[in-house]
Amino acid sequence: MIERKENCPLHDRNTFGMKVKCRLLLELDSPQDLLSLDMESLPKPVFVMGGGSNLLFLGDFPGTVIHPSFKSLSIQESPSGYPEGTVLVKVGAGIVFDDFCGWAADKGLWGAENLSLIPGEAGASAVQNIGAYGVEAKDIIETVHVFDKNTRTFSDIPCGECAYGYRTSNFKTVWKGRFIVTAVTFRLSRVPAPKLDYGGVRSALAERYPSEEELTPSMIRETVISIRRKKLPDPSETGSAGSFFCNPVISREHFLSILEKERAEKGADYMVPHYDVGDMVKVPAAWMIEQCGFKGVRHGGAQVYPKQPLVIVNSTGDALPSEILELERRVISSVNERYGIVLHPEVEHVGSVPSET
Ligand SMILES: Cc1cc2nc3c(=O)[nH]c(=O)nc-3n(C[C@H](O)[C@H](O)[C@H](O)COP(=O)(O)OP(=O)(O)OC[C@H]3O[C@@H](n4cnc5c(N)ncnc54)[C@H](O)[C@@H]3O)c2cc1C
């Protein structure tokens, strides 16, 4: 069934809480609905949306927003050709991703626990290649089930064909706008495979469970949730779209020149936080934003989140898209001036800023 809503307010449907509307919202509850949709007749542009947790709407959206709200879930135990203990779970695109993580942990299935509490829906997890605490969606995606808007057919895309990278995939690049994800098959396991070496999970786990109990996915899930709650704004209280900027990857020479300048200012022992990525170096954008003095800085209702400067929040609940954009531009320009690095937003900007009349 397709539910149609004209001039539909979106502020409850985007975690930034932007008070915008779309001309038409279509709520689809079955993949078969896609076959009965005449895409050509819909107000343009057409945008597919999940939980709206990685989006910045720049103004009222003049076209159609399609929300695939598919909620089916099916399980295949011990599929042949897979290692012992494997369980394949096909998750409808509209299932809240964290509900899936909670379900898997309750069932004692390993694989999704480190991704707990990431907002959004299962469909988008395969578009975005969401990641946290040393795990990315691609590590557990087996197949992405899609509807091709061009050919009006359903097909299954193996994980290996999606060109997954850091928060990216073919769905965000060469296939942009072509596919609607209808479901994602995740590969979980009954065989324990805890991943504890990232973001303080191991120490937080030891604090939470001091006796040496046998680890379960639920223990890791609860630990990850407690770490995230301390650091990140809860979208039900403070609007945001999570990390606003991608962490830049720069050449080693560039990194060394930054290190030299910082040491001249802060002392010879100072170390710029970084991670080696092959021959290149990843420098946390949050560190650069903080060094540029932006931690907690407000611009109208927008604010660089004091606990995590990588996040821009709608601190008053009434921030305008233009205020978020202006703060974004100020951050980009300061970081570029100081470090010669142009930060790129991770948050997708949707639509355009209304022109002043
Ligand atoms: C507080 C907070 C914390 C966050 N923490 C993390 C984190 O730790 N790690 C991380 O990776 N991300 C994080 N995010 C970002 C966000 O949760 C993810 O990007 C998430 O996958 C977005 O899911 P969504 O359903 O809200 O997608 P949306 O924001 O609605 O859409 C995102 C993109 O996916 C496309 N899309 C959505 N559904 C479909 C579909 N069915 N078919 C085709 N395309 C589709 C949209 O067109 C858009 O391009 C965080 C966000 C917030 C607000």
Side-chain angles (χ1 to χ4, degrees):
M1 204 189 80
I2 303 179
E3 197 181 341
R4 293 173 66 94
K5 292 181 184 164
E6 313 244 342
N7 288 320
C8 182
L10 295 175
H11 79 269
D12 285 343
R13 292 172 179 267
N14 73 100
T15 57
F16 238 136
M18 293 298 109
K19 292 182 175 156
V20 295
K21 289 184 196 159
C22 64
R23 180 152 163 220
L24 178 65
L25 179 106
L26 299 177
E27 192 81 57
L28 274 52
D29 71 5
S30 148
Q32 296 309 311
D33 293 337
L34 289 162
L35 292 173
S36 59
L37 259 189
D38 175 11
M39 297 277 179
E40 287 312 306
S41 68
L42 297 175
K44 304 285 181 308
V46 173
F47 182 73
V48 180
M49 182 170 161
S53 63
N54 197 51
L55 308 177
L56 173 61
F57 279 97
L58 299 178
D60 286 340
F61 188 71
T64 307
V65 169
I66 297 180
H67 179 221
S69 183
F70 314 144
K71 306 267 195 218
S72 63
L73 188 137
S74 58
I75 306 161
Q76 206 185 340
E77 290 270 0
S78 309
S80 66
Y82 287 84
E84 206 184 317
T86 301
V87 178
L88 297 178
V89 188
K90 186 174 177 184
V91 183
I95 289 188
V96 170
F97 187 80
D98 186 55
D99 289 351
F100 159 65
C101 296
W103 172 89
D106 286 349
K107 293 245 173 291
L109 295 172
W110 292 86
E113 59 284 354
N114 291 44
L115 301 174
S116 292
L117 210 65
I118 299 181
E121 298 178 354
S125 73
V127 172
Q128 308 282 88
N129 186 25
I130 55 170
Y133 300 98
V135 174
E136 289 181 301
K138 72 165 173 52
D139 301 334
I140 54 168
I141 289 175
E142 184 69 13
T143 310
V144 186
H145 309 273
V146 297
F147 176 76
D148 186 333
K149 287 202 279 173
N150 297 345
T151 59
R152 301 180 59 78
T153 52
F154 293 99
S155 60
D156 298 337
I157 307 180
C159 178
E161 291 177 17
C162 298
Y164 284 121
Y166 169 64
R167 306 289 179 273
T168 191
S169 69
N170 276 342
F171 296 105
K172 293 184 83 167
T173 55
V174 290
W175 297 337
K176 178 98 185 136
R178 177 171 163 197
F179 293 114
I180 296 180
V181 177
T182 56
V184 185
T185 295
F186 294 100
R187 192 183 52 259
L188 304 178
S189 179
R190 298 206 177 276
V191 179
K195 296 220 169 62
L196 309 178
D197 293 329
Y198 199 92
V201 175
R202 188 183 294 280
S203 54
L205 189 73
E207 239 174 67
R208 223 177 147 78
Y209 301 99
S211 62
E212 290 208 350
E213 293 173 58
E214 200 179 316
L215 281 181
T216 64
S218 292
M219 287 160 73
I220 297 179
R221 170 173 165 76
E222 295 310 321
T223 304
V224 165
I225 288 176
S226 71
I227 300 175
R228 290 183 68 96
R229 287 214 165 114
K230 282 185 203 140
K231 283 211 230 157
L232 291 164
D234 176 349
S236 67
E237 289 166 8
T238 308
S240 86
S243 301
F244 197 94
F245 298 101
C246 295
N247 288 314
V249 177
I250 57 175
S251 70
R252 193 157 298 276
E253 295 74 48
H254 193 162
F255 171 73
L256 291 174
S257 77
I258 291 174
L259 184 61
E260 197 183 332
K261 275 192 209 147
E262 292 294 313
R263 284 187 168 170
E265 225 178 79
K266 295 173 179 152
D269 291 340
Y270 187 79
M271 185 40 88
V272 171
H274 66 285
Y275 311 89
D276 290 338
V277 185
D279 292 343
M280 309 287 279
V281 181
K282 187 188 271 189
V283 183
W287 175 81
M288 290 188 272
I289 296 167
E290 186 171 354
Q291 299 307 305
C292 290
F294 274 96
K295 200 170 176 175
V297 163
R298 291 174 188 273
H299 181 82
Q303 185 186 25
V304 174
Y305 193 52
K307 288 192 210 164
Q308 168 48 284
L310 195 55
V311 177
I312 293 181
V313 294
N314 175 355
S315 67
T316 57
D318 288 323
L320 303 171
S322 58
E323 292 169 344
I324 309 275
L325 263 189
E326 280 152 21
L327 187 53
E328 170 192 332
R329 285 180 190 145
R330 282 175 56 193
V331 168
I332 291 175
S333 145
S334 289
V335 168
N336 191 18
E337 208 170 288
R338 184 168 168 141
Y339 297 111
I341 294 175
V342 179
L343 292 181
H344 294 284
E346 185 181 317
V347 172
E348 184 172 341
H349 296 40
V350 185
S352 48
V353 183
S355 51
E356 282 172 39
T357 45

